[in-house]
Every structure is written in structure tokens, then in C-alpha cells.
Amino acid sequence: AESGDATSTSTSTTTSTTQGGRNLRGSTSSRNLSLEPALGKMKQQNSRANMRSLDDGSREPGHELYAAYVRAKAEALALKQRVILQFDFAPNGLQELNLRGNTLGDRGIVLLAGVLEQDRMIRVLDLARTGFGEIGAVALGAAMENMGGLEWLSLEWNLIGSGKGALAIATGLRNSITLKCLDISECSLGDKGGSFIASALTENETLEELDLGSNRLSRETAEVLAYALRKNCTLLSMQLVNNPLGYEGAGQLVKAMMVNTVLNHLNLSKCSFIKASSHGDDVFDENKPSGHYQLQLFMPGQYLIATKLVELWEQQGDTTW
């Protein structure tokens, strides 16, 4: 159940969502909960802004994004107990929460994440098209690490971006021990954010379905995914629809599929299998490695290139080419 007003929200625990022909959710008895008394307090956020004085200088001096996150987090903690009473987290309590299409924004998501971060009952959480950005994603990433029952999470169509938001979600995925399905399509990840998510697959041991569709992912992310697929033993289905992976990126994934025997569904429709032109910046080819590269080693894809260059250098007797 959905509402256009972020201050009045109801949810039904009978939900069915299908992705790639597979039923991702079960069906339980119907139950409605009203969060209006608690979320209504969010309207008073401007008057409460000066109630707390938070010193975040020890973490990242002058960083406005972090300061905004801390303020939102403080407001969430102030309301946490009231919202917990509304959710009624009992042994047979709420298991599925659908907030799709409600404009919660970063403040609403931070509030929700603060409530759910120690939850053990929620299995299905749908936050698609809820209007949050990097701040909300950072809060969700932290909550993902602690939610002991979460199995299905949709973050589709939110402006997570390629920076701290994507890194936080990737960290949450890396450390989650229950999550089986993650939809992070159409979230403006780019290669930087997509590489963070792909890199998390090397350590996650529970995820079975991943949707990275429409995130402007190219060869760089494809190479990190290919590396991850050689190590991951649980992923069964991956959606990469509408990403410009290109000729080289597709080739890397095909090579990885020769090693990976677990993945049984890979959607590469509308992925622009066009061979890259020879002009412009050098494109790494391990068969013809000569070239000039400017690499940012904090990005998983470029770190892999640097690692491969060092391996080739050692194989050739510490010579240059």
C-alpha cells in the first residue's frame, strides 16, 4: 500500500514482485500499520534544527554532506522509540514493508534506517522511487549490515550516485549474511559506483539475484564483475540491461562465464556490443599492454588494471615494454 504523502504511510504484508520471470517474494497475512503520528513529526524538522549541537569536525572537517547526515541521524534517533511502537517488532511482527513511490527523501530514509538497523524480522523492503540520494544511501548501507533478516531489497530509481552512497550500499552488501536479492537499477551509479557494487560480490556469500540495469556501466565495471564472477559461488541471476558495456566488456563477462558454473541467468540486452575506437585514451589489453595509463587505485576496475600490469611486468622478468 502506498501514499503520496511521506507523513502518512501504510503497508501491506501481502506482496508479490516478479523480476526476470522469478517470484521474489512470498505471501503472508495482510496487515496495515499507520506511521502518521511518528512521521508527522518530520514536518517540524526546521524548528528542531537548532535543538542539537553536533561536532562532526573530528570525522571530516567542513564536509557538508557528512554534517547533513549527522543532523538527520540525530533526528531519527530522537524519534526512534515512538516509531518502534508503531511498527510493533514482535516475534510474529512486520516482515514486508512496501514504501515504493512515496517521496520520503533523505530525511525519511534516514529515519527509517535508524529504526530498522537492529531489526531481525523485516524480510522484504521496497524503497524504489522514494526520492532519496547519497545521504539516505549512506544510512541504508549502515542499516543493511545489521538487519539480520533482510532477504529482498529494492532501491530502484533513486539518485544514489557514484560516490559515498554507492560505497555504503556496497559495504552493506559485502557484510550482509542474509540478503538474497538486490535491485539497484537506474540509480546513476556510473562505473565508479558500479565497480563498488561489483567488488562486493567477491566477499558476499548469500546474494542470488542482482539488478544493475540502466546505470551507465561500461567496460570498467564489466571487468570488475568478471573478476567477481570467478570467485562468487552463490549468484544465480544478474541483470545488466541497457548499459554500454561494449565489445570488450562483453568479452570479459563471457570469459568469466567459462569459469563460473553457478550463474544461470545473465541479461545483456541493449548493452551496445560495439568495439571501441582506437583513438583517445589507451584501453588496457593484456595481450598488448603497451600504453599510457592514468589510474585511480581506489576504484576497483582501475586497481585491477594496475594489478594486471604488475603481474605482466613480473612475468616478463621485471622488464618494461
Side-chain angles (χ1 to χ4, degrees):
E2 303 167 359
S3 171
D5 187 346
T7 62
S8 179
T9 309
S10 63
T11 180
S12 172
T13 61
T14 301
T15 314
S16 179
T17 297
T18 301
Q19 178 179 330
R22 298 185 60 188
N23 186 28
L24 302 180
R25 309 188 196 179
S27 178
T28 58
S29 61
S30 180
R31 175 182 173 205
N32 293 323
L33 296 175
S34 174
L35 301 183
E36 183 174 0
L39 295 181
K41 295 295 184 180
M42 293 175 63
K43 291 184 176 180
Q44 304 174 11
Q45 59 190 25
N46 292 331
S47 63
R48 293 199 310 269
N50 296 322
M51 291 178 63
R52 291 176 176 268
S53 176
L54 298 171
D55 179 16
D56 61 325
S58 61
R59 292 285 297 276
E60 294 187 44
H63 198 294
E64 295 182 0
L65 175 64
Y66 178 72
Y69 165 72
V70 171
R71 288 195 296 271
K73 180 73 171 179
E75 293 179 1
L77 292 175
L79 294 175
K80 183 173 181 178
Q81 294 304 319
R82 292 185 181 181
V83 179
I84 286 177
L85 292 176
Q86 293 294 324
F87 273 111
D88 185 22
F89 289 135
N92 297 313
L94 188 66
Q95 295 188 17
E96 301 188 16
L97 179 60
N98 185 349
L99 293 172
R100 174 182 289 260
N102 291 284
T103 309
L104 302 180
D106 282 324
R107 290 185 178 275
I109 292 297
V110 170
L111 169 61
L112 182 64
V115 173
L116 296 178
E117 62 185 355
Q118 299 299 328
D119 174 61
R120 295 292 183 272
M121 292 302 300
I122 293 288
R123 295 186 304 106
V124 175
L125 181 59
D126 192 341
L127 298 176
R129 301 172 183 263
T130 48
F132 70 86
E134 192 171 54
I135 295 175
V138 170
L140 281 175
M144 286 172 62
E145 297 187 51
N146 298 314
M147 292 181 67
L150 186 64
E151 297 179 359
W152 192 95
L153 175 63
S154 177
L155 304 178
E156 172 197 357
W157 201 283
N158 287 293
L159 194 58
I160 293 175
S162 61
K164 292 186 176 181
L167 180 58
I169 298 298
T171 302
L173 173 60
R174 188 186 303 273
N175 296 324
S176 173
I177 58 174
T178 58
L179 192 64
K180 295 182 179 180
C181 179
L182 174 62
D183 184 350
I184 195 170
S185 59
E186 300 182 277
C187 288
S188 301
L189 297 180
D191 276 323
K192 182 180 176 182
S195 295
F196 288 146
I197 301 296
S199 180
L201 294 176
T202 61
E203 296 184 32
N204 179 276
E205 298 180 350
T206 60
L207 197 70
E208 297 178 355
E209 302 185 28
L210 175 63
D211 191 339
L212 286 168
S214 301
N215 272 301
R216 304 193 312 274
L217 309 180
S218 66
R219 169 181 170 155
E220 182 175 336
T221 301
E223 289 179 339
V224 182
L225 281 171
Y227 176 79
L229 287 175
R230 290 182 173 91
K231 295 180 174 294
N232 185 281
C233 298
T234 60
L235 194 66
L236 302 175
S237 174
M238 182 161 61
Q239 303 278 339
L240 292 172
V241 177
N242 196 31
N243 283 299
L245 300 180
Y247 177 85
E248 293 84 1
Q252 293 291 334
L253 288 172
V254 169
K255 290 178 182 178
M257 292 299 295
M258 296 178 181
V259 178
N260 185 299
T261 59
V262 178
L263 190 71
N264 56 40
H265 180 80
L266 178 62
N267 193 339
L268 297 176
S269 63
K270 299 181 181 179
C271 283
S272 304
F273 295 161
I274 301 175
K275 192 168 185 177
S277 60
S278 59
H279 61 79
D281 296 336
D282 290 327
V283 176
F284 176 70
D285 183 346
E286 60 183 283
N287 297 316
K288 298 178 180 179
S290 296
H292 182 266
Y293 307 95
Q294 293 184 350
L295 304 175
Q296 300 182 46
L297 299 184
F298 69 89
M299 296 180 63
Q302 298 189 29
Y303 181 85
L304 282 179
I305 293 176
T307 301
K308 193 62 179 180
L309 286 169
V310 172
E311 290 177 356
L312 291 171
W313 174 69
E314 292 176 343
Q315 291 171 8
Q316 298 182 19
D318 298 349
T319 59
T320 60
W321 57 87

